[in-house]
Amino acid sequence: MKSRWSDAEAGEFVARYAAQGVGEDLALRVYTTRLLGADPKLVLHGGGNTSVKTRMADQLGDEVEVICVKGSGWDMGNIEPAGLPAVRLQPLRRLRALDKLSDEDMVNFQRINLLDAAAPNPSVETLLHAFLPHKFIDHTHSTAVLALTDQPEGEALAREVFGQRVAYVPYTIPGFALAKSVAAVFDGNPDVEGAVLLKHGIFSFADDTRTSYERMTEFVTLAEERLQRGRKTFVRSQSPEKLARTAEIAPILRGACVISREEQAGAVKRQILCFRTSPAILEYLNGAELKRYSQQGVVTPDHTIRTKNWPLIVPAPQSGELERWKGEVEKAVTKFVAHYHEYFARNNARAEPKKKELDPSPRVILVPGKGLFGLGASAKDAAIAADIAENTVEVITDAEAIARYQPSPEADQFDVEYWSLEQAKLGKAAEKPLARQICVVTGGGSGIGAATAKAMAADGAEVAVLDRDRAAAIHVAREIGKSVLAIGCDVTKPDEVKRAFAEVSKAFGGIDIVVSNAGAAWQGRIGDVDEETLRSSFELNFFAHQSVAREAVRIMLAQGTGGCLLFNTSKQAINPGKDFGPYGLPKASTLFLMKQYALDYGRFGIRSNAVNADRIRSGLLTNEMVASRAGARGVSEAQYMSGNLLGREVTAEDVSQAFVFLARMPKTTAAVVTVDGGNIEASLR
Ligand SMILES: [Zn+2]
């Protein structure tokens, strides 16, 4: 790897932050921390940390010696000065004289020595940085260094590469003890330029930013060059000739990997999936010894909180054989869970105090022939698990290419997985009601559909916005957020519906909630209306709902975790309007379609409900239409829009709340919720 240091860029950082009152030391620290953080071969999702020792003024204006060290919750790639909280250095250094310090006491001591009480918690490796004398310290979990040291002969290999230039520290869980052992090793070798923490990562240090950063890039380059020498490749195993599609296998895997299911109560704790594949991933997955090298444990212990200690391996899925494959997947998950329980019991026996077992469901699934899946509580968490799994593939491939992969022992991995300071990184915020669910909204590009897509996302669901107008779908998706999917789809074409739903399954792992909303109004007196108009309306206002529901149910059955169908019907389905037959007739059929799905699929936990809304400004009822109708009745627009029992205009947001409400009601099916401000002729029961 090359150094990406630039004097000009470094100067820009210093100038930019000087304007915000940030000193040069910290500005440069931000600059090279970002250089390191931008490279996934060095650090991933909160891994790694950096520090600088400098002087700052406290509240009284007294200059104090501080260490600015990466705070938890910050990623190195986009760090700001606020992400490197300043801690008084001298009190931290005095801790070295202690024999013992608990994690809780360490965290507390670090916090009470912060200059800013509102700053994030300084890294768990703060004391390691504090006990060393160097001004700048850089720490990464470099892929190449891990491949070199995650070996039975890891230390010998590392010594061959780095010689006397670095200190070698045996694996110890981060915290006070590790900080002391690094400091002791350093005392014996005061001229070293860095330290290799076996089976964990690498440190570089120096008294100026650039040297410390470039020592890191140089060490990593040396490791990379060693990995290129004497490379072996994996021996391939046989896989089926024709493999099933990713969109078909994802819902089966997702259903098998739920965290808990209380089917009677309708409560299922699901996971979201993130699929990855590449030639390197396939090479790894198709290796004859996959079962050996993939099950040794994580490449560096802090990955356990995201990926658990091992991935689940399932057989390659042969096309046309998915029923049989589903049985094999379920067996593999049962075995995985049993294995996890044993791992927990075995390690908890020696743990003090005793731990509470975490959920045993897989966070990474390896599918030979296809690729890998990351799993998590949200699309974001699933992507993090997938990033780490991809990185793991790289480390193990490199490790096996020169010798044999062997990370730190299970006991060390367990200690990190169940370490309170690691679990704290995941956060304990309560989940939103629709978290872990995947929601598709048709006609999501505007009006009620757009409002519903937003409301579902605000309630925690992962959302896919489908619209015939792809640009409109993209616009709404962008308004909601990064992980929202936008798909162009004409729901009157069953093939497009299939393709769109497959895209959702591939992106998130399946589908739980479908808001079948797309519709349009056709008018005409029923005795004169031409055949073509009536049929067009039936295509969109009835048959499209059927193909959307049919495709959704197919995926929901593959998951086996129930589901929720929601139809946008209309006042016309219950109370026909004059000359509105072409619209009302298919909508009335859709109301029955909703009931039919409730009847036929209730036993699978699939609920089916409808929202009956009326007089909402939208693509169906445009502002021009409102003006002309109001004019025809001789009332103002506002009077026309609020012409209901409550005298209040009903908005798309009001309707969206009814869809969210129905999505949240685990024991409601075959119901219609009316959102029309009150219209006695169109009321149900
Ligand atoms: Zn580390």
Side-chain angles (χ1 to χ4, degrees), residues 47-49 123-125 139-141 174 178 197 200-203 300 302:
N49 45 59
S123 160
V124 296
E125 281 160 349
H139 169 47
T140 72
H141 297 163
L178 176 64
L197 271 57
H200 171 164
I202 183 163
F203 281 80
T300 185
D302 77 345

Side-chain angles (χ1 to χ4, degrees), residues 62-129:
D62 295 338
E63 273 227 339
V64 286
E65 241 189 308
V66 294
I67 178 168
C68 296
V69 62
K70 202 199 86 163
S72 81
W74 284 84
D75 271 332
M76 286 169 64
N78 54 12
I79 204 146
E80 291 287 343
L84 289 149
V87 195
R88 289 170 195 273
L89 183 59
Q90 286 315 321
L92 293 186
R93 284 194 159 152
R94 289 181 56 201
L95 288 176
R96 202 183 155 188
L98 302 182
D99 290 330
K100 261 198 177 142
L101 181 67
S102 74
D103 294 332
E104 288 69 25
D105 289 343
M106 177 181 80
V107 169
N108 180 59
F109 194 81
Q110 287 172 182
R111 280 212 70 80
I112 60 176
N113 281 290
L114 284 166
L115 286 202
D116 174 3
N121 270 342
S123 160
V124 296
E125 281 160 349
T126 296
L127 293 183
L128 194 163
H129 290 255

Side-chain angles (χ1 to χ4, degrees), residues 43 75 114 145 217 230 236 244 274 287 310 376 380 429 511 549:
V43 295
D75 271 332
L114 284 166
V145 174
T217 56
R236 282 195 64 141
C274 175
W310 333 265
K380 189 175 160 227
I511 290 171

